[in-house]
């Protein structure tokens, strides 16, 4: 009822799932055991990579357009960040006033003058002058100068609309760097020049995940129309020799997540099947793009069903992208090789490094996972990429490898590893990879094949894609950025990532702590539950299922309470026929005893000291984590929460314990003050007395816990009264607090009707 996961996985699927939470240390050590280069190979790779870097740098010296502009304003500079913010936001701001405020914020505060004359490109220098002038117009806090006054006067007389229009147009020019055309027909026409020198294309219809059914319908029609247009233009030359289409499953269904697995498998399998059959009709390639790590295994289930379908027999154009920055990547390759054997036809596999790294890191930290699904060191991703590449090259009887990279060292490594067998291709992003691949594509060069991943769409659909590309293009760790930076030694750019990884005793990045250590040594992050991991879901299901059928009770937890009120049945809000427990309310006597106990116990509790009370809070937080399945079960059947919300409920309660313990020790500890005659005096902060904490039904554990532990750690005694609708979960929490050491007289519990 509450769980939806793969209950009978294959051996390959088990291997993929098992390596979701693996530590980076183990993952990298395993990779290093699988690959090494001989001295002859290493020399050949180094020579080829060096040759490519030198050629790219020589060619870039002649860049006069947007490439030179991106090089000048990379994301290591304040000005580059300002431009990225403009590119991300300006095109979607509908009103003039907000647009002007954005321009003032981003252009008025940056130091554009320092870029004057620093580029060899006339285009860049003219653009910089325009940014200098525009920045002066919007800079309000600068001392008046003649030039500033003149441009402010110009702005007041109508200059601002012209500037706004010019900057919008500039952002569109920047967008065109990464988009081949606004329509598929325009993109196909523009692609002809590159195809004339030997490039192929894989078109991508811009647009992120569908939020509504209307979105999904619109994206499906766009994919369908693109297949017709591409198919008619390629004239049946086949998936390997002609252009194809890349699609995102998230664009085809707004509820593409594991919790909706049954519907996802039905709906998305049907949609992908129809698109694949249409692609087969034209004999063009159709590649399923990789997305977030949480969707990997679900995407593999969908892909397998479509790939093995009877209607696609003999069609070898269906492909899948695999992200090397995921620790599961090598096992996904093994799975796809096995799938190709079972389907008796090739799979086109696009090996990428990955474009959602920041998201995956932050999500794992937010959700409190045991580890990250991706590598924290860029070098480790490069190692993983090479191991996956070796697997693909070794399986060319069943796989057509497509290596998407902008890294000269990676390109050279694959070229050497592949040997004389040319049954593979390279891939690059439109607007990013041409300077590198222009050195090897074409009959007068090395005659290698490169397919350009070419986005197609209007500017309003560009945002998320553009930000990812700008981050990749402008990041100071990006190879695309470093290859053109003359200050970067070539020997560093072409260094073997395998040897780098072997030199490091700690394979994970030292400045990216595990999610549990996110807040430092003094405060733990609450541990979460990865609800996209089949193994985790299975274990949680086994623990929670019997607890959903248990009977629970709630009564006043007060020494000497009489509990004389009649017993009431507690029913689940999801099913009023399901009796989940019994409840006895407190009467006037019970409440009076709670007040008396809290009053008499206050002084002794207040004198226990901050460290003692903080330790109890941490002990309770750890106990909550250990008892998480029981509290999840109660949150589901008593409060009507989903599993995800129930996990978040328990984690927030745990976070309150750890946070208030940490804050109390920092801010409520005794303070040493110097006396008037040189002696030291100690200032001790005391509690205020008994507190009554009343909590709502919608956060029956989190807010209940937060109120109570904040008062207790400060030295106060507490009487807790929960919402009438969620007394069972509150009672269980109070009993657990008593178990870990909170005295019953210090912390009493009285429940009753909400009035």
């Amino acid at each position: 009822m509450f769980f939806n996961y793969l209950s009978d996985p294959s051996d390959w699927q088990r291997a993929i799932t098992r390596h979701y939470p693996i530590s980076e240390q183990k993952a990298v050590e395993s990779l290093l055991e699988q690959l090494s280069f001989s001295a002859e190979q290493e020399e050949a790779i180094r020579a080829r990579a060096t040759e490519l870097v030198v050629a790219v740098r020589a060619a870039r010296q002649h860049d006069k357009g947007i490439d030179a502009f991106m090089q000048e304003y990379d994301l290591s500079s304040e000005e580059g960040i300002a431009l990225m913010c403009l590119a991300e936001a300006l095109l979607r701001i509908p009103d003039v006033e907000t647009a002007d405020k954005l321009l003032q914020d981003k252009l008025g505060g940056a130091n554009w003058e320092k870029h004057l004359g620093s580029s060899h490109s006339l285009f860049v220098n003219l653009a910089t002058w325009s940014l200098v002038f525009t920045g002066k117009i919007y800079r309000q806090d600068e001392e008046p100068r003649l030039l500033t006054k003149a441009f402010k006067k110009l702005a007041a007389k109508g200059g601002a609309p012209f500037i706004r229009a010019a900057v919008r147009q500039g952002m569109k020019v920047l967008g065109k760097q990464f988009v081949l055309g606004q329509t598929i027909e325009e993109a196909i026409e523009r692609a002809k020049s590159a195809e004339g020198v030997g490039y192929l294309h894989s078109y991508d219809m811009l647009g992120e995940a569908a939020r509504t059914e209307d979105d999904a319908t619109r994206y499906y029609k766009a994919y369908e129309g693109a297949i017709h247009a591409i198919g008619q233009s390629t004239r049946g030359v086949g998936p390997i020799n002609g252009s194809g289409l890349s699609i995102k499953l998230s664009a085809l269904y707004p509820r593409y997540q594991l919790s909706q697995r049954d519907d996802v498998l039905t709906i998305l399998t049907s949609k992908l099947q129809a698109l694949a059959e249409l692609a087969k009709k034209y004999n063009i390639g159709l590649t399923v793009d990789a997305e977030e790590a949480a969707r990997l295994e679900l995407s593999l289930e969908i892909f397998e069903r479509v790939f093995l379908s009877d209607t696609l027999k003999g069609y070898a154009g269906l492909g899948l992208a695999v992200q090397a920055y995921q620790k599961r990547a090598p096992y996904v390759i093994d799975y796809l090789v096995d799938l190709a054997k079972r389907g008796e036809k090739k799979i086109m596999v696009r090996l990428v490094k990955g474009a959602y790294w920041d998201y995956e890191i932050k999500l794992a930290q937010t959700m409190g996972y045991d580890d990250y699904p991706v590598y924290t060191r860029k070098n480790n991703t490069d190692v993983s990429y090479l191991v996956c590449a070796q697997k693909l090259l070794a399986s060319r009887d069943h796989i057509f490898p497509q290596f998407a990279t902008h890294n000269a060292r990676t390109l050279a490594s694959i070229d050497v590893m592949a040997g004389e067998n040319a049954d593979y291709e390279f891939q690059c992003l439109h607007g990013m990879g041409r300077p590198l691949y222009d050195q090897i594509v074409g009959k007068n060069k090395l005659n290698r094949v490169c397919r350009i991943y070419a986005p197609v769409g209007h500017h309003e659909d560009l945002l998320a894609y553009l930000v990812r590309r700008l981050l990749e293009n402008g990041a100071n760790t990006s190879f695309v950025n470093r290859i053109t930076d003359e200050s970067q030694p070539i020997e560093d750019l072409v260094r073997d990532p395998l040897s780098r990884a072997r030199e490091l005793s700690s394979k994970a990045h030292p400045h990216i702590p595990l999610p549990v250590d996110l807040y430092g040594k003094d405060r733990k992050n609450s541990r979460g539950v990865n609800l996209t991991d089949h193994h985790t879901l299975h274990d949680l299901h086994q623990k929670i299922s019997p607890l959903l059928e248990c009977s629970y009770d709630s009564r006043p937890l007060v020494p000497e309470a009489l509990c004389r009120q009649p017993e009431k049945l507690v029913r689940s809000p999801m099913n009023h026929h399901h009796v989940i427990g019994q409840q006895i309310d407190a009467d006037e006597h019970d409440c009076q005893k709670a007040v008396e106990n809290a009053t008499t116990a206050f002084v002794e509790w207040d004198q226990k000291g901050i460290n003692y009370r903080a330790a109890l809070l941490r002990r309770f937080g750890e106990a909550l984590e250990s008892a998480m399945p029981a509290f999840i079960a109660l949150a589901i059947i008593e409060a009507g929460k989903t599993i995800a919300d129930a996990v978040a409920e328990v984690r927030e309660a745990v976070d309150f314990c750890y946070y208030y313990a940490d804050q109390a020790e920092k801010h409520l500890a005794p303070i040493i003050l110097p006396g008037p005659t040189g002696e030291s005096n100690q200032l001790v902060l005391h509690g205020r007395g008994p507190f009554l904490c009343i909590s709502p039904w919608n956060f029956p554990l989190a807010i209940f816990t937060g109120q109570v532990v904040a008062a207790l750690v400060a030295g106060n005694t507490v009487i807790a009264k929960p919402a009438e609708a969620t007394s069972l979960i509150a009672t269980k929490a109070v009993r657990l607090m008593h178990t870990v050491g909170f005295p019953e007289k210090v912390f009493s519990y009285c429940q009753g009707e909400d009035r």
Side-chain angles (χ1 to χ4, degrees):
M1 177 179 178
F2 301 104
F3 293 85
N4 200 343
Y5 59 91
L6 186 62
S7 58
D8 186 26
S10 67
D11 290 341
W12 293 121
Q13 288 165 327
R14 287 192 183 92
I16 293 169
T17 303
R18 188 169 60 250
H19 288 85
Y20 200 145
I22 190 174
S23 73
E24 191 156 356
Q25 189 77 22
K26 290 182 179 179
V28 175
E29 288 173 353
S30 174
L31 292 174
L32 293 174
E33 291 174 359
Q34 298 177 55
L35 179 64
S36 62
F37 294 122
S38 67
E40 293 78 8
Q41 285 178 313
E42 175 57 31
E43 180 57 34
I45 292 169
R46 188 181 298 274
R48 175 62 53 81
T50 300
E51 178 185 332
L52 289 170
V53 173
V54 170
V56 169
R57 286 185 172 179
R60 277 296 183 98
Q61 291 300 316
H62 304 290
D63 284 343
K64 296 180 174 61
I66 193 71
D67 286 344
F69 185 82
M70 291 295 297
Q71 182 181 351
E72 179 67 27
Y73 293 102
D74 65 72
L75 294 184
S76 63
S77 69
E78 178 187 0
E79 294 73 34
I81 293 171
L83 287 174
M84 191 196 76
C85 292
L86 275 177
E88 190 274 339
L90 185 62
L91 296 179
R92 61 190 168 106
I93 293 177
D95 64 288
V96 170
E97 183 180 358
T98 304
D100 280 342
K101 287 181 178 179
L102 178 70
L103 288 169
Q104 178 179 330
D105 177 56
K106 299 306 175 188
L107 298 182
N111 182 13
W112 305 105
E113 289 95 328
K114 71 180 182 182
H115 294 273
L116 284 173
S118 62
S119 175
H120 62 272
S121 167
L122 178 62
F123 171 85
V124 173
N125 289 324
L126 287 174
T128 299
W129 270 110
S130 71
L131 289 168
V132 169
F133 292 152
T134 305
K136 289 182 181 297
I137 289 173
Y138 284 110
R139 194 172 299 156
Q140 302 297 321
D141 58 348
E142 192 179 70
E143 286 296 318
R145 289 187 292 183
L146 180 61
L147 188 62
T148 304
K149 285 182 178 180
F151 275 93
K152 283 186 179 178
K153 187 175 181 181
L154 174 64
K157 289 186 175 181
F162 294 114
I163 292 168
R164 190 187 317 117
V167 175
R168 282 184 184 274
Q169 189 61 35
M171 293 303 103
K172 288 182 179 181
V173 171
L174 188 60
K176 283 185 177 180
Q177 169 74 358
F178 303 107
V179 177
L180 188 58
Q182 294 196 50
T183 65
I184 186 64
E185 291 78 13
E186 179 187 345
I188 290 172
E189 183 63 29
R190 286 189 64 194
K192 288 180 180 178
S193 60
E195 291 176 356
V197 297
Y199 285 95
L200 297 172
H201 287 82
S202 180
Y203 299 97
D204 167 50
M205 308 308 292
L206 276 176
E208 297 300 302
R211 299 300 180 190
T212 66
E213 286 294 342
D214 288 344
D215 287 342
T217 300
R218 178 162 45 88
Y219 288 139
Y220 181 85
K221 289 180 179 178
Y223 288 150
E224 198 174 47
I227 292 174
H228 283 298
I230 297 166
Q232 291 164 9
S233 69
T234 57
R235 304 182 186 278
V237 297
I240 293 177
N241 298 317
S243 293
L245 179 68
S246 296
I247 68 171
K248 291 181 176 64
L249 294 180
S250 63
L252 297 174
Y253 186 51
R255 306 188 76 188
Y256 177 34
Q257 57 198 55
L258 186 58
S259 62
Q260 306 295 322
R261 178 172 171 268
D262 291 342
D263 288 343
V264 167
L265 291 179
T266 300
I267 294 169
L268 276 182
T269 299
S270 174
K271 289 185 175 182
L272 179 58
Q273 181 82 36
L275 292 174
E277 289 174 4
L278 186 59
K280 178 187 177 185
K281 173 185 173 183
Y282 287 107
N283 198 23
I284 66 172
L286 183 70
T287 299
V288 178
D289 267 330
E291 299 186 72
E292 297 86 352
R295 290 169 163 161
L296 172 63
E297 292 172 67
L298 197 53
S299 71
L300 294 179
E301 283 194 80
I302 296 165
F303 185 86
E304 177 174 327
R305 292 184 178 204
V306 174
F307 182 78
L308 296 178
S309 63
D310 292 337
T311 57
L312 294 180
K313 282 187 176 179
Y315 171 57
L318 193 60
L320 187 72
V322 177
Q323 297 163 321
Y325 71 4
Q326 285 201 46
K327 298 169 186 173
R328 296 174 287 177
Y331 307 95
V332 174
I333 301 293
D334 292 339
Y335 162 78
L336 291 174
V337 172
D338 176 70
L339 178 60
K341 291 177 181 177
R342 286 186 279 136
E344 298 181 341
K345 57 186 177 183
K346 282 190 175 184
I347 299 175
M348 303 178 83
V349 177
R350 175 192 295 148
L351 185 63
V352 302
K353 293 189 178 178
Y356 300 85
W357 185 86
D358 306 74
Y359 169 85
E360 300 293 0
I361 294 293
K362 181 50 62 180
L363 180 70
Q365 293 172 344
T366 302
M367 302 304 291
Y369 294 160
D370 291 338
D371 212 313
Y372 299 105
V374 297
Y375 295 104
T376 57
R377 288 187 191 268
K378 174 69 168 61
N379 189 76
N380 293 343
T381 295
D382 291 340
V383 172
S384 174
Y385 193 96
L386 292 176
V387 170
C388 291
Q390 177 182 245
K391 286 177 175 287
L392 292 173
L393 290 170
S395 304
R396 278 178 278 184
D397 289 343
H398 309 286
I399 298 291
F400 181 72
Q402 300 168 310
F403 300 110
T405 180
H406 300 140
N407 187 308
R409 166 76 200 204
T410 304
L411 188 158
S413 299
I414 291 167
D415 199 42
V416 170
M417 292 163 67
E420 298 300 319
N421 185 344
D423 195 14
Y424 69 95
E425 70 180 28
F426 290 107
Q427 292 194 1
C428 70
L429 290 166
H430 171 70
M432 291 181 68
R434 283 290 297 272
L436 176 62
Y437 284 100
D438 281 347
Q439 312 308 316
I440 67 170
V441 172
K443 293 182 179 179
N444 296 328
K445 304 291 180 63
L446 295 178
N447 204 24
R448 300 292 187 264
V449 176
C450 179
R451 186 182 302 271
I452 299 172
Y453 183 90
V456 179
H458 296 279
H459 296 301
E460 56 266 26
D461 296 320
L462 178 62
L463 296 174
Y465 179 83
L466 177 58
V467 171
R468 287 203 299 271
R469 296 293 81 88
L470 288 174
L471 285 170
E472 291 172 11
N473 215 16
N476 55 15
T477 56
S478 166
F479 195 93
V480 175
N481 191 348
R482 295 169 67 214
I483 194 173
T484 59
D485 184 353
E486 297 286 348
S487 67
Q488 295 279 338
I490 292 179
E491 54 268 26
D492 287 349
L493 293 178
V494 302
R495 188 181 173 194
D496 178 20
L498 297 171
S499 62
R500 289 187 187 182
R502 290 190 180 97
E503 290 169 2
L504 297 168
S505 56
S506 176
K507 308 307 182 189
H509 198 293
H511 300 303
I512 303 178
L514 290 176
V516 70
D517 300 319
L518 179 63
Y519 302 115
K521 59 182 179 64
D522 295 328
R523 174 189 162 198
K524 289 195 299 183
N525 187 13
S526 59
R527 190 176 299 279
V529 178
N530 188 347
L531 298 178
T532 65
D533 183 313
H534 290 290
H535 287 173
T536 300
L537 279 175
H538 178 268
D539 292 343
L540 189 62
H541 187 192
Q542 297 299 310
K543 293 174 181 176
I544 285 181
S545 292
L547 298 173
L548 296 173
E549 304 302 324
C550 288
S551 179
Y552 301 87
D553 77 287
S554 176
R555 61 186 60 238
L557 299 176
V558 181
E560 302 179 38
L562 299 178
C563 302
R564 295 176 296 193
Q565 295 283 68
E567 188 175 83
K568 298 184 293 186
L569 297 180
V570 181
R571 300 178 184 273
S572 173
M574 297 182 295
N575 178 3
H576 290 180
H577 297 292
H578 182 194
V579 176
I580 59 176
Q582 303 79 37
Q583 172 181 319
I584 298 176
D585 291 340
D587 60 14
E588 184 175 348
H589 170 272
D590 298 336
C591 293
Q592 185 60 45
K593 289 302 298 182
V595 172
E596 291 174 5
N597 290 337
T599 302
T600 58
F602 166 66
V603 173
E604 183 179 354
W605 175 249
D606 185 47
Q607 291 176 346
K608 289 290 186 182
I610 290 297
N611 293 337
Y612 175 85
R613 296 192 296 266
L616 280 182
L617 259 63
R618 293 191 179 96
R619 196 182 306 168
F620 176 51
E622 292 167 354
L624 275 175
E625 283 191 327
S626 298
M628 183 178 280
F631 284 102
I632 290 174
L634 265 173
I636 290 171
I637 60 175
E638 187 183 27
K641 289 183 177 284
T642 64
I643 291 180
D645 285 343
V647 171
E649 179 80 18
V650 181
R651 290 193 63 223
E652 187 172 352
V654 174
D655 276 327
F656 273 131
C657 294
Y658 294 158
Y659 175 75
Y660 284 132
D662 179 62
Q663 292 297 300
E665 289 179 334
K666 287 180 179 177
H667 301 295
L668 301 182
I671 303 171
I672 305 299
L673 299 175
T677 58
E679 75 278 8
S680 295
N681 296 320
Q682 190 178 65
L683 174 63
V684 179
L685 301 177
H686 294 281
R688 294 191 169 193
F691 270 62
L692 174 62
C693 295
I694 303 175
S695 56
W697 65 269
N698 54 334
F699 290 96
L701 181 64
I703 292 182
F704 176 86
T705 300
Q707 292 178 324
V708 165
V709 299
L712 287 169
V713 77
N716 306 291
T717 52
V718 170
I719 303 164
K721 192 274 176 193
E724 181 184 9
T726 51
S727 62
L728 299 180
I729 193 169
T731 301
K732 188 171 186 64
V734 174
R735 285 175 173 152
L736 187 59
M737 290 184 73
H738 289 162
T739 300
V740 301
F742 287 94
E744 294 183 8
K745 288 187 176 183
V746 167
F747 178 37
S748 300
Y749 172 82
C750 294
Q751 64 195 38
E753 294 182 1
D754 297 335
R755 293 180 181 176

